[in-house]
Amino acid sequence: MTDHHYVFDGTKEQAELDRLRLLESSFDPKARQRLENVGVSDGWHCLEVGAGAGSIMNWISEKVGSTGTVVAVDTDTRFLLSSVSSNTVIVKGDIRTVDLGRSRFDLVHGRYILLHIPEFASVLEKMLLLFKPGGWLVFEEPDFSAARCLVGSEDALLAFDRVTSAVETITKP
Ligand SMILES: C[S@@+](CC[C@H](N)C(=O)[O-])C[C@H]1O[C@@H](n2cnc3c(N)ncnc32)[C@H](O)[C@@H]1O
């Protein structure tokens, strides 16, 4: 396993929180719809991988209620600890190495997390051991290879291409 540093490690606290909140405001509505579609509800036991600033962790926690549970794993838990419900456990750890047992979860969900892990295939294999028979694995990951900026100044187009190719190098082992 290669040594892994999350690309945004060391980002100033407010800047990182702003970035995570932007992700949430852009992607939460569709994420919630997807999770509604798989049926997340009372009594489910769920794992949220790379929980970030916690909006989906909190939403799942409400959906599963007092008879369900949420385990939220992140290497950086500073934005998660302020609003933890009684059915939620925050685990500070690296998803590649943290021990989460086997066959426990009705749902394993992650968003914009595998993108940051060069060994994403082995993480996915590990995730396959974590959910119960009939459980759901839901990962929402971007495909930057398809990203194109169609309008804007020449400088903006170049900047967009530079950012896109930088992002694409993140997952190269
Ligand atoms: C781009 S953010 C996405 C946050 C959240 N899933 C969302 O979409 O709003 C990636 C998150 O994964 C966490 N992370 C990065 N590498 C990780 C790893 N190896 N194990 C666990 N968490 C990790 C980061 O700390 C960060 O909170």
Coordinates of all heavy atoms in Angstrom, one line a residue, residues 4-9 16 19-25 27-28 31 48-56 73-80 91-98 109-119 123 140-141, ligand 1:
H4 N -0.3 7.4 1.7 CA -1.3 8.2 1.2 C -1.5 9.6 1.9 O -1.6 9.6 3.1 CB -2.7 7.5 1.2 CG -3.9 8.3 1.0 ND1 -4.2 8.9 -0.2 CD2 -4.9 8.7 1.8 CE1 -5.3 9.6 -0.1 NE2 -5.8 9.4 1.1
H5 N -1.5 10.6 1.1 CA -1.8 11.9 1.7 C -3.0 12.5 1.0 O -2.9 12.6 -0.2 CB -0.6 12.9 1.6 CG 0.6 12.4 2.4 ND1 0.6 12.4 3.8 CD2 1.7 11.8 2.0 CE1 1.8 11.8 4.2 NE2 2.5 11.5 3.1
Y6 N -4.0 12.8 1.7 CA -5.2 13.4 1.1 C -4.7 14.8 0.6 O -4.0 15.6 1.2 CB -6.2 13.6 2.2 CG -7.5 14.3 1.8 CD1 -8.2 14.0 0.6 CD2 -8.0 15.3 2.6 CE1 -9.4 14.6 0.3 CE2 -9.2 15.9 2.3 CZ -9.9 15.6 1.1 OH -11.0 16.2 0.8
V7 N -5.1 15.1 -0.7 CA -4.6 16.3 -1.4 C -4.9 17.6 -0.6 O -4.2 18.6 -0.7 CB -5.1 16.3 -2.8 CG1 -6.5 16.6 -2.9 CG2 -4.3 17.2 -3.7
F8 N -6.0 17.5 0.1 CA -6.4 18.8 0.8 C -6.0 18.8 2.3 O -6.4 19.7 3.1 CB -7.9 19.0 0.7 CG -8.4 19.2 -0.7 CD1 -9.1 18.3 -1.4 CD2 -8.1 20.4 -1.3 CE1 -9.5 18.5 -2.7 CE2 -8.5 20.7 -2.6 CZ -9.2 19.7 -3.3
D9 N -5.1 17.8 2.7 CA -4.5 17.9 4.0 C -3.8 19.2 4.2 O -3.1 19.6 3.2 CB -3.5 16.7 4.2 CG -4.2 15.4 4.6 OD1 -5.4 15.5 5.0 OD2 -3.5 14.4 4.6
E16 N -11.3 24.7 4.0 CA -11.7 23.3 3.8 C -13.2 23.2 4.1 O -13.9 22.5 3.3 CB -10.8 22.4 4.6 CG -11.2 20.9 4.6 CD -11.0 20.3 3.2 OE1 -10.7 21.0 2.2 OE2 -11.2 19.0 3.1
R19 N -15.2 24.5 1.2 CA -15.1 23.6 0.1 C -16.1 22.5 0.3 O -16.8 22.1 -0.6 CB -13.7 23.1 -0.1 CG -13.3 22.4 -1.4 CD -11.9 21.9 -1.3 NE -11.8 20.8 -0.4 CZ -12.1 19.5 -0.7 NH1 -12.5 19.2 -1.9 NH2 -11.9 18.6 0.2
L20 N -16.0 21.9 1.5 CA -16.9 20.7 1.8 C -18.4 21.2 1.7 O -19.3 20.4 1.2 CB -16.6 20.1 3.1 CG -15.2 19.4 3.2 CD1 -14.9 19.1 4.6 CD2 -15.3 18.1 2.3
R21 N -18.7 22.4 2.2 CA -20.1 22.9 2.2 C -20.6 23.1 0.7 O -21.7 22.9 0.4 CB -20.2 24.1 3.0 CG -20.1 24.0 4.5 CD -21.3 23.4 5.1 NE -21.2 23.3 6.5 CZ -21.4 22.2 7.3 NH1 -21.8 21.1 6.7 NH2 -21.2 22.2 8.6
L22 N -19.6 23.5 -0.1 CA -20.0 23.7 -1.5 C -20.3 22.4 -2.2 O -21.3 22.2 -3.0 CB -18.8 24.3 -2.3 CG -18.8 25.8 -2.4 CD1 -17.5 26.2 -3.2 CD2 -20.0 26.3 -3.2
L23 N -19.5 21.3 -1.9 CA -19.8 20.0 -2.4 C -21.2 19.6 -1.9 O -22.0 19.0 -2.7 CB -18.8 19.0 -1.8 CG -17.5 18.7 -2.5 CD1 -16.7 17.7 -1.7 CD2 -17.8 18.2 -3.9
E24 N -21.5 19.8 -0.6 CA -22.8 19.4 -0.1 C -23.9 20.1 -0.8 O -24.9 19.5 -1.2 CB -22.8 19.7 1.4 CG -21.9 18.8 2.2 CD -21.9 19.0 3.7 OE1 -22.4 20.0 4.2 OE2 -21.3 18.1 4.4
S25 N -23.8 21.4 -1.0 CA -24.9 22.2 -1.6 C -25.1 21.8 -3.0 O -26.2 21.8 -3.5 CB -24.8 23.7 -1.4 OG -23.6 24.1 -2.0
F27 N -24.3 18.7 -4.3 CA -24.6 17.2 -4.6 C -25.6 16.6 -3.6 O -26.0 15.5 -3.9 CB -23.3 16.4 -4.6 CG -22.4 16.9 -5.7 CD1 -21.1 17.3 -5.4 CD2 -22.8 16.9 -7.0 CE1 -20.2 17.8 -6.4 CE2 -21.9 17.4 -8.1 CZ -20.7 17.8 -7.7
D28 N -25.9 17.2 -2.5 CA -26.8 16.6 -1.6 C -28.2 16.2 -2.1 O -28.7 15.1 -1.9 CB -27.0 17.4 -0.3 CG -25.8 17.2 0.7 OD1 -24.8 16.5 0.3 OD2 -25.9 17.6 1.8
A31 N -27.9 13.1 -4.0 CA -27.5 12.0 -3.2 C -28.6 11.5 -2.3 O -28.9 10.3 -2.2 CB -26.3 12.4 -2.3
E48 N -21.0 5.6 6.4 CA -20.7 6.7 5.6 C -19.1 6.9 5.5 O -18.5 7.1 6.5 CB -21.3 8.0 6.2 CG -21.1 9.3 5.4 CD -21.7 9.3 4.0 OE1 -22.4 8.4 3.6 OE2 -21.3 10.3 3.3
V49 N -18.6 6.7 4.3 CA -17.2 6.7 4.1 C -16.7 8.1 3.7 O -17.2 8.6 2.7 CB -16.8 5.7 3.0 CG1 -15.3 5.6 2.9 CG2 -17.3 4.3 3.4
G50 N -15.7 8.6 4.4 CA -15.2 10.0 4.0 C -16.3 11.0 4.2 O -16.7 11.7 3.3
A51 N -16.8 11.1 5.5 CA -18.0 11.9 5.7 C -17.9 13.4 5.6 O -18.9 14.1 5.6 CB -18.5 11.5 7.1
G52 N -16.7 13.9 5.5 CA -16.5 15.3 5.2 C -17.0 16.3 6.3 O -16.7 16.2 7.4
A53 N -18.0 17.1 5.9 CA -18.6 18.0 6.8 C -19.9 17.5 7.4 O -20.6 18.1 8.2 CB -18.8 19.4 6.2
G54 N -20.3 16.3 7.0 CA -21.3 15.5 7.7 C -22.8 15.7 7.3 O -23.6 15.1 7.9
S55 N -23.1 16.4 6.2 CA -24.5 16.6 5.9 C -25.2 15.2 5.6 O -26.3 15.0 6.0 CB -24.7 17.5 4.7 OG -24.1 17.0 3.6
I56 N -24.5 14.4 4.8 CA -25.2 13.1 4.5 C -25.2 12.2 5.7 O -26.2 11.5 5.9 CB -24.5 12.4 3.3 CG1 -24.8 13.3 2.0 CG2 -25.0 11.0 3.0 CD1 -26.2 13.4 1.6
V73 N -16.8 7.3 8.9 CA -15.3 7.2 9.0 C -14.7 8.4 8.2 O -15.1 8.6 7.0 CB -14.8 5.9 8.3 CG1 -13.3 5.8 8.4 CG2 -15.5 4.7 9.0
D74 N -13.7 9.0 8.7 CA -12.9 10.0 8.0 C -11.6 10.1 8.7 O -11.5 9.9 9.9 CB -13.7 11.4 8.0 CG -13.2 12.2 6.8 OD1 -12.0 12.6 6.7 OD2 -14.1 12.6 6.0
T75 N -10.6 10.4 7.9 CA -9.2 10.7 8.4 C -9.2 12.0 9.2 O -8.4 12.2 10.1 CB -8.2 10.7 7.3 OG1 -8.7 11.5 6.3 CG2 -7.8 9.4 6.8
D76 N -10.2 12.9 8.8 CA -10.3 14.2 9.4 C -11.7 14.4 10.0 O -12.6 14.6 9.2 CB -9.9 15.3 8.4 CG -10.1 16.7 8.9 OD1 -10.4 16.9 10.1 OD2 -9.8 17.6 8.1
T77 N -11.8 14.3 11.3 CA -13.2 14.3 11.8 C -13.6 15.7 12.5 O -14.6 15.8 13.1 CB -13.3 13.2 12.9 OG1 -12.3 13.4 13.9 CG2 -13.3 11.9 12.3
R78 N -12.7 16.7 12.2 CA -12.9 18.0 12.9 C -14.3 18.6 12.6 O -14.8 19.4 13.4 CB -11.8 18.9 12.7 CG -11.7 19.5 11.3 CD -10.4 20.2 11.0 NE -9.9 19.9 9.7 CZ -9.2 20.7 8.9 NH1 -8.8 21.8 9.4 NH2 -8.9 20.3 7.7
F79 N -14.8 18.4 11.4 CA -16.1 19.0 11.1 C -17.3 18.1 11.5 O -18.5 18.5 11.2 CB -16.2 19.3 9.6 CG -15.0 20.2 9.1 CD1 -14.2 19.7 8.1 CD2 -14.8 21.4 9.7 CE1 -13.1 20.5 7.7 CE2 -13.7 22.2 9.3 CZ -12.8 21.7 8.3
L80 N -17.0 16.9 12.0 CA -18.1 16.0 12.3 C -18.6 16.0 13.7 O -19.7 15.6 14.1 CB -17.7 14.6 11.9 CG -17.4 14.4 10.4 CD1 -16.8 13.0 10.2 CD2 -18.6 14.6 9.6
V91 N -15.8 7.6 13.5 CA -14.5 6.9 13.6 C -13.4 7.7 12.8 O -13.6 7.9 11.6 CB -14.6 5.5 13.0 CG1 -13.3 4.8 13.0 CG2 -15.7 4.7 13.7
K92 N -12.4 8.1 13.6 CA -11.3 8.8 12.9 C -10.3 7.7 12.4 O -9.7 7.0 13.2 CB -10.6 9.7 13.9 CG -9.5 10.5 13.3 CD -9.0 11.6 14.3 CE -7.7 12.2 13.9 NZ -7.7 13.0 12.8
G93 N -10.3 7.6 11.1 CA -9.4 6.5 10.6 C -9.3 6.5 9.0 O -10.1 7.2 8.4
D94 N -8.4 5.8 8.5 CA -8.2 5.7 7.1 C -9.0 4.5 6.6 O -8.8 3.4 7.1 CB -6.7 5.5 6.8 CG -6.3 5.5 5.4 OD1 -7.1 5.0 4.5 OD2 -5.2 6.0 5.0
I95 N -9.9 4.7 5.6 CA -10.8 3.6 5.2 C -10.0 2.4 4.6 O -10.5 1.3 4.6 CB -11.8 4.2 4.1 CG1 -12.9 3.2 3.9 CG2 -11.1 4.5 2.8 CD1 -13.7 2.9 5.2
R96 N -8.7 2.7 4.2 CA -7.9 1.5 3.7 C -7.5 0.6 4.8 O -7.3 -0.6 4.5 CB -6.7 2.1 3.0 CG -7.1 3.0 1.8 CD -5.8 3.7 1.2 NE -5.0 4.2 2.3 CZ -3.7 4.5 2.3 NH1 -3.1 4.2 1.2 NH2 -3.1 5.0 3.3
T97 N -7.4 1.1 6.0 CA -6.8 0.2 7.1 C -7.8 0.0 8.3 O -7.5 -0.9 9.1 CB -5.5 0.9 7.6 OG1 -5.8 2.2 7.9 CG2 -4.4 0.8 6.5
V98 N -8.8 0.9 8.4 CA -9.6 0.8 9.6 C -10.4 -0.5 9.7 O -10.8 -1.0 8.6 CB -10.5 2.0 9.7 CG1 -11.6 2.0 8.6 CG2 -11.1 2.2 11.1
H109 N -22.1 3.9 2.0 CA -22.2 5.1 1.1 C -20.9 5.9 1.1 O -20.4 6.1 2.2 CB -23.4 6.0 1.4 CG -23.5 7.2 0.6 ND1 -23.1 8.5 1.1 CD2 -23.8 7.4 -0.7 CE1 -23.2 9.4 0.1 NE2 -23.6 8.8 -1.0
G110 N -20.5 6.4 0.0 CA -19.4 7.3 0.0 C -19.5 8.3 -1.2 O -20.2 7.9 -2.2
R111 N -19.0 9.5 -1.1 CA -19.1 10.4 -2.3 C -17.8 11.2 -2.3 O -17.3 11.7 -1.3 CB -20.2 11.4 -2.0 CG -20.5 12.4 -3.1 CD -21.7 13.2 -2.9 NE -21.4 14.2 -1.8 CZ -22.4 14.9 -1.2 NH1 -23.7 14.7 -1.5 NH2 -22.1 15.7 -0.2
Y112 N -17.2 11.3 -3.5 CA -16.0 12.0 -3.8 C -14.9 11.5 -2.8 O -14.2 12.3 -2.2 CB -16.2 13.5 -3.6 CG -16.6 14.2 -4.9 CD1 -17.9 13.9 -5.5 CD2 -15.8 15.1 -5.5 CE1 -18.3 14.5 -6.6 CE2 -16.2 15.7 -6.7 CZ -17.5 15.4 -7.3 OH -17.9 16.0 -8.4
I113 N -14.8 10.2 -2.6 CA -13.8 9.7 -1.7 C -12.8 8.7 -2.4 O -11.6 8.9 -2.3 CB -14.5 9.0 -0.5 CG1 -13.5 8.2 0.4 CG2 -15.6 8.1 -0.8 CD1 -12.5 9.0 1.1
L114 N -13.3 7.8 -3.3 CA -12.5 6.9 -4.0 C -11.5 7.7 -4.9 O -10.4 7.3 -5.1 CB -13.3 5.9 -4.8 CG -14.2 5.0 -3.9 CD1 -15.0 4.1 -4.8 CD2 -13.4 4.2 -2.9
L115 N -12.0 8.8 -5.4 CA -11.2 9.7 -6.2 C -9.9 10.0 -5.6 O -8.8 10.3 -6.2 CB -12.0 11.0 -6.4 CG -11.4 12.3 -6.7 CD1 -11.1 12.3 -8.2 CD2 -12.3 13.4 -6.3
H116 N -9.9 10.1 -4.2 CA -8.7 10.5 -3.5 C -7.8 9.3 -3.1 O -6.8 9.5 -2.4 CB -9.1 11.3 -2.2 CG -9.7 12.6 -2.5 ND1 -9.0 13.6 -3.0 CD2 -11.0 13.0 -2.5 CE1 -9.8 14.7 -3.2 NE2 -11.1 14.3 -2.9
I117 N -8.2 8.1 -3.5 CA -7.4 6.9 -3.0 C -6.9 6.2 -4.2 O -7.6 5.5 -4.9 CB -8.4 6.1 -2.1 CG1 -8.9 6.9 -1.0 CG2 -7.6 4.8 -1.6 CD1 -9.8 6.2 0.0
P118 N -5.5 6.2 -4.3 CA -5.0 5.5 -5.5 C -5.3 4.0 -5.5 O -5.6 3.4 -6.5 CB -3.5 5.7 -5.3 CG -3.3 6.9 -4.4 CD -4.6 6.9 -3.6
E119 N -5.5 3.4 -4.3 CA -5.8 2.0 -4.2 C -7.3 1.8 -4.1 O -7.8 1.0 -3.3 CB -5.1 1.3 -3.0 CG -3.7 1.5 -2.8 CD -3.4 2.8 -2.0 OE1 -4.3 3.7 -1.9 OE2 -2.2 3.0 -1.6
V123 N -9.9 -0.9 -1.9 CA -10.9 -0.3 -0.9 C -12.3 -0.8 -1.3 O -13.1 -1.3 -0.4 CB -10.9 1.2 -0.9 CG1 -12.1 1.8 -0.1 CG2 -9.6 1.7 -0.3
E140 N -20.6 7.6 -5.1 CA -20.9 8.7 -6.1 C -19.5 9.3 -6.4 O -19.0 10.0 -5.5 CB -21.9 9.7 -5.5 CG -23.2 9.1 -5.1 CD -24.1 10.1 -4.4 OE1 -24.7 10.9 -5.1 OE2 -24.1 10.1 -3.2
E141 N -19.0 9.0 -7.5 CA -17.6 9.5 -7.8 C -17.6 10.3 -9.2 O -18.3 9.9 -10.1 CB -16.7 8.3 -7.9 CG -16.5 7.6 -6.6 CD -15.8 8.4 -5.5 OE1 -14.9 9.2 -5.8 OE2 -16.1 8.2 -4.3
Ligands
LIG1 C1 -13.9 15.5 -1.2 S1 -14.2 15.2 0.5 C2 -15.9 14.6 0.4 C3 -16.7 14.7 1.6 C4 -18.1 14.1 1.6 N1 -18.1 12.7 1.2 C5 -19.0 14.9 0.6 O1 -19.1 14.5 -0.5 O2 -19.5 15.9 1.0 C6 -13.3 13.7 0.8 C7 -13.3 13.4 2.3 O3 -12.7 12.1 2.5 C8 -11.8 12.1 3.5 N2 -10.7 11.2 3.2 C9 -9.7 11.3 2.3 N3 -8.9 10.2 2.3 C10 -9.5 9.4 3.2 C11 -9.2 8.0 3.6 N4 -8.1 7.4 3.1 N5 -9.9 7.4 4.6 C12 -11.0 8.1 5.1 N6 -11.3 9.4 4.7 C13 -10.6 10.0 3.8 C14 -11.3 13.6 3.6 O4 -10.8 13.9 4.9 C15 -12.6 14.3 3.2 O5 -13.4 14.6 4.4

